[in-house]
Amino acid sequence: MNRQPIAAALAALRQTLLGPDTPPGRPLLARWPRLARYAAPVGLLAALGLFWITVAVESDWGLPTPIAVLFAVMTVAPLLALPRRPLLAWRLTVLALLVCTFNAPADMPGPWTPPLALGSIAVVAVVVARVDRPVLAWVVAITAVPVLTLVRAEHRAAVLALLGALAIVGDLIRRNRLSRRALAAQTELSEREHERRAVLEERTRIARELHDVVAHHMSLIAVQAETAPYRLTDVPAPAAAEFVAIAASARDALTDMRRLLGVLRSETTGPQTAPQPDLTDLDAMVDAARRAGLPVTLDAGPADDGQVPAPVGLAAYRIVQEGLANAARHAPGAAVRVTVRAAATTLAVRVQNAPPDATDARPGAETDAGHGLTGMRERAVSLGGTFTAGPLPDGGYAVVAELPYEAEGGDR
């Protein structure tokens, strides 16, 4: 004999009669904080009114005042416990239905006062929407006991039908609530995964671009080292051997870089053979943005005098590119100013837009749909620089990057 269903049913019965509330302690009006602010005083006034109504009704039915007051307390107590302890409120309700049964008029469908009958319906409606199915089955079964024993026969079927309808609707509400919670949790998890993947993809793209730049310089080192004994006269044998060793080390470094890059590339991504952009391409990018309808002003020094290293120039180009894209996306029609200034050891990049004309959105702000700031920050940090972004006092937005470097031909 399979005892697991019996054990599960007994565990649900213990939970129903003696267990804590599930879910514990969540107020009914937690979703509406403004309404919940007035719920306590209004509820107390309503409970006080039901108390006096019950005392009056029980007194009219001929009960002594102390018993009428006791029955009124038993009627109101479940309603006071209902917001935070619905299962406890149901237990008090069942107790009240079994006890408050004296001297009801013959024309009443049951032995209870109207406040107790209506309050019991409200309590059962809340409880069945907040407990799981095993507990729900016991709640309905136990609630049916006073109905079957105390309600008049001609009204018993209607009351049982109402109890069954409350159980079905409550179970549907609970399942819908659980489904929405599960969907919200899954959505949040998907958003976090999407953000993580976006960051990883951006880092991978940066790694690929850095490979292309560094591989170019390593290739030059290898070629120069290999050809040095032929280009230079009277090279001693030890120096020639040193050049050969340098060339071999450069080739090994290139091989290792290509192997690591192969791990980063996806199966459908082939090698990128096009030259990487740098500061000399800023004018062309700004012209393309103007043709697309974005009012852009470029304030930059000489395009490239060989002072700024290629990785820094590439990072500056990408930051400006992403800044223009964010401005066009989040502040269409707003004027944009791009400033690029090269100092002795630092390249300053600033992309600033005026307040948007028809939207309060902040261009460049990180949203669920994009991670532009994340990519720009990653590029600046990878070079040892800094990156800041934020709204301006006039309502515009600006991104600022400081990219350090050592000038070509300077001290290493």
Side-chain angles (χ1 to χ4, degrees):
M1 179 179 178
N2 189 0
R3 297 182 180 273
Q4 292 184 353
I6 299 177
L10 293 178
L13 178 59
R14 286 193 298 270
Q15 170 68 25
T16 304
L17 297 179
L18 303 174
D21 281 277
T22 53
R26 180 180 173 86
L28 294 177
L29 300 178
R31 296 182 180 179
W32 303 281
R34 294 185 179 179
L35 185 60
R37 186 182 309 170
Y38 305 101
V42 173
L44 290 176
L45 290 176
L48 184 61
L50 289 177
F51 175 85
W52 288 114
I53 292 174
T54 303
V55 171
V57 172
E58 297 285 5
S59 299
D60 290 342
W61 287 359
L63 291 179
T65 301
I67 297 180
V69 171
L70 175 62
F71 285 4
V73 171
M74 297 182 69
T75 299
V76 174
L79 299 177
L80 295 178
L82 184 61
R84 291 189 177 271
R85 301 290 300 277
L87 201 54
L88 175 62
W90 170 80
R91 295 165 187 160
L92 296 176
T93 296
V94 173
L95 180 62
L97 292 176
L98 294 174
V99 174
C100 304
T101 59
F102 300 108
N103 297 335
D107 57 347
M108 295 290 294
W112 309 298
T113 61
L116 178 57
L118 296 177
S120 302
I121 294 174
V123 170
V124 172
V126 172
V127 170
V128 296
R130 304 189 71 175
V131 297
D132 54 14
R133 283 186 173 179
V135 177
L136 172 63
W138 282 113
V139 167
V140 174
I142 296 174
T143 307
V145 172
V147 175
L148 293 173
T149 56
L150 300 175
V151 174
R152 301 183 186 278
E154 60 270 20
H155 302 288
R156 195 171 297 158
V159 177
L160 290 176
L162 175 61
L163 181 61
L166 290 177
I168 294 174
V169 173
D171 183 63
L172 292 176
I173 293 175
R174 184 187 66 87
R175 291 175 60 187
N176 180 62
R177 183 174 64 251
L178 293 178
S179 298
R180 286 189 283 107
R181 289 180 181 176
L183 180 60
Q186 183 63 33
T187 301
E188 182 179 1
L189 182 62
S190 299
E191 291 175 353
R192 291 180 180 177
E193 180 65 20
H194 177 71
E195 181 177 356
R196 187 184 69 86
R197 289 182 59 185
V199 172
L200 292 178
E201 290 174 359
E202 182 64 22
R203 289 181 176 178
T204 301
R205 188 159 69 107
I206 294 173
R208 292 171 182 167
E209 293 174 350
L210 287 178
H211 163 269
D212 294 337
V213 174
V214 176
H216 170 70
H217 291 285
M218 294 298 296
S219 299
L220 292 179
I221 293 174
V223 172
Q224 289 175 340
E226 288 178 344
T227 60
Y230 305 99
R231 292 183 290 103
L232 303 177
T233 59
D234 300 330
V235 177
E242 189 69 21
F243 281 126
V244 173
I246 293 174
S249 298
R251 287 194 299 270
D252 292 340
L254 284 172
T255 301
D256 292 338
M257 289 178 60
R258 293 190 183 99
R259 186 180 299 112
L260 291 176
L261 186 65
V263 176
L264 294 176
R265 293 189 188 276
S266 62
E267 295 181 356
T268 58
T269 303
Q272 299 177 356
T273 57
Q276 294 297 325
D278 54 20
L279 297 181
T280 60
D281 299 301
L282 284 179
D283 290 330
M285 179 174 57
V286 169
D287 290 339
R290 289 170 181 158
R291 290 194 298 269
L294 186 66
V296 186
T297 301
L298 176 61
D299 181 9
D304 187 6
D305 57 2
Q307 177 184 9
V308 179
V312 177
L314 172 62
Y317 180 90
R318 295 302 187 194
I319 290 173
V320 173
Q321 184 181 48
E322 187 64 34
L324 293 178
N326 285 350
R329 183 185 308 116
H330 299 286
V336 182
R337 182 177 182 84
V338 178
T339 305
V340 180
R341 283 287 183 266
T345 59
T346 305
L347 180 66
V349 180
R350 181 183 180 91
V351 182
Q352 173 182 339
N353 65 264
D357 295 334
T359 176
D360 291 331
R362 293 293 183 260
E366 292 186 70
T367 64
D368 294 339
H371 306 275
L373 292 185
T374 302
M376 289 188 277
R377 185 176 293 108
E378 291 284 344
R379 290 183 180 277
V381 172
S382 67
L383 296 173
T386 60
F387 178 83
T388 58
L392 300 174
D394 63 354
Y397 202 90
V399 295
V400 180
E402 298 285 341
L403 309 177
Y405 63 88
E406 293 183 1
E408 297 288 346
D411 296 335
R412 297 293 180 187

